[in-house]
Amino acid sequence: MDPLRLYTHPACLAHDPGAAHVERPARLQAVIEAVSAAFPAIDWRDAPRASRGQLSRVHDDALLARVLDTGIATGSEPLALDPDTSLGHGSAEAALRAAGAGVAAVDAVMAGDARRAFCAVRPPGHHATATTAMGFCLFNNIAVAAAHACDAHRLQRVAVVDFDVHHGNGTQAIFQSDPRVMYLSTHQSPLFPGSGGAEEQGVGNVINLPLAPGTSGGEFRAAWRDRLLPVLQGFRPQLLLVSAGFDGHRLDPLAQLELDADDYRWLTAELVAVAERHAQGRLVSMLEGGYDLAALRESSVAHVQALLG
Ligand code: ZN
């Protein structure tokens, strides 16, 4: 069994939402280069495409058709789906590979081929709802992975832990009536997309902990240690999925939290411990946001180091 398996795909670098867009290919390039340099012995797997059937577990036919069948010609300008979210020539293939990475990673940890996995992919996913691409996200990669774990592997308790600085409104909306999936999130508030208040609790399976701008690493750790990790332990997840956004880093241009790479290392190690205790070690992490390249490099290396145990 591999202690950690890494997934990515060159197609994820070819999703081009426009020259000035902050969710740019250089983000993923930085993560891949930094993780490869720090851990040269870990081999990377090419992410397969998600199937339409796998995507249909969480998305409606209209969104699948919009992303997959629009057909943007090579060299033409990206099509704006909303003011933040665009579809370019390479976007459909990138979206299929990003979602497919999570499915493959779930299969690998469930089969015992790998203990944990990290999917270095883009576009990110956690803002995409069942019907709508938004917030730089086309398909909700982590939701596709969670639904695959529940349906294909018959799991009854899957936890999605989301430490991206933005609230994963799409993931919450997709699972807020499904008690098989628990969604736990810290996120800055106020901030896009505006959801994620503590009163949003689903059917008791949604735990939101908004953080004020300026929240320190110590406060972030205390929130997880005292509030969220005990709830996660009580859920006894059979599989941990992680929406790993590194835009809470103090250098990030889109938000105002004061985290650093050591905070991500700490939380990741805590999540690994929960997975070891309840889920036979099974943990799949997927890259979400993070828009400062230096912060992305050091945070993703810290995250992967903790995933290695
Ligand atoms: Zn984010």
Side-chain angles (χ1 to χ4, degrees):
M1 182 193 288
D2 297 340
L4 179 66
R5 193 171 279 189
L6 303 173
Y7 289 89
T8 190
H9 196 279
C12 294
L13 296 166
H15 162 59
D16 179 9
H21 204 291
V22 69
E23 201 293 281
R24 57 213 189 274
R27 299 179 54 245
L28 180 57
Q29 196 73 52
V31 169
I32 293 170
E33 286 174 4
V35 171
S36 299
F39 309 102
I42 311 178
D43 61 323
W44 292 80
R45 304 288 177 113
D46 267 356
R49 297 186 182 101
S51 70
R52 285 214 179 213
Q54 289 161 351
L55 297 167
S56 296
R57 291 185 178 123
V58 304
H59 293 303
D60 72 0
D61 289 344
L63 179 59
L64 297 191
R66 193 92 204 269
V67 174
L68 299 178
D69 303 334
T70 296
I72 311 292
T74 315
S76 58
E77 282 297 303
L79 171 71
L81 301 179
D82 75 10
D84 297 322
T85 313
S86 297
L87 196 64
H89 171 67
S91 301
E93 181 70 11
L96 286 171
R97 299 287 180 174
V103 171
V106 166
D107 285 343
V109 300
M110 292 307 300
D113 296 335
R115 194 153 188 92
R116 288 179 279 280
F118 175 60
C119 303
V121 292
R122 59 183 286 280
H126 71 156
H127 296 305
T129 70
T131 60
T132 308
M134 62 176 281
F136 316 161
C137 304
L138 298 176
F139 297 140
N140 193 315
N141 308 317
I142 205 85
V144 171
H148 183 70
C150 291
D151 291 0
H153 296 283
R154 306 266 172 233
L155 296 188
Q156 293 298 310
R157 297 185 308 281
V158 175
V160 178
V161 169
D162 187 335
F163 60 72
D164 188 280
V165 81
H166 302 95
H167 180 239
N169 60 298
T171 312
Q172 174 176 305
I174 287 166
F175 294 115
Q176 62 190 355
S177 302
D178 184 346
R180 296 176 301 177
V181 177
M182 172 171 275
Y183 176 74
L184 304 99
S185 176
T186 51
H187 41 271
Q188 180 179 316
S189 178
L191 192 66
F192 179 89
S195 53
E199 74 286 357
E200 297 171 24
Q201 300 177 350
V203 289
N205 64 329
V206 171
I207 316 290
N208 284 307
L209 207 162
L211 301 171
T215 293
S216 69
E219 292 166 321
F220 174 82
R221 295 187 196 201
W224 280 97
R225 187 180 58 233
D226 300 339
R227 310 272 299 276
L228 293 169
L229 290 171
V231 176
L232 178 63
Q233 293 274 11
F235 182 61
R236 295 181 297 114
Q238 296 165 294
L239 170 69
L240 242 75
L241 303 178
V242 180
S243 271
F246 301 110
D247 38 11
H249 193 286
R250 65 177 73 241
L251 295 177
D252 197 274
L254 297 194
Q256 292 80 40
L257 297 194
E258 295 289 330
L259 308 185
D260 60 28
D262 275 336
D263 296 312
Y264 295 121
R265 188 191 329 270
W266 175 84
L267 179 55
T268 305
E270 294 289 321
L271 298 175
V272 166
V274 173
E276 289 294 329
R277 184 165 173 191
H278 295 291
Q280 299 172 44
R282 296 181 297 227
L283 186 156
V284 171
S285 173
M286 304 193 75
L287 181 65
E288 297 279 3
Y291 302 96
D292 178 84
L293 299 186
L296 267 175
R297 284 187 199 99
E298 63 169 18
S299 301
S300 58
V301 167
H303 182 58
V304 168
Q305 191 168 52
L307 290 177
L308 277 167

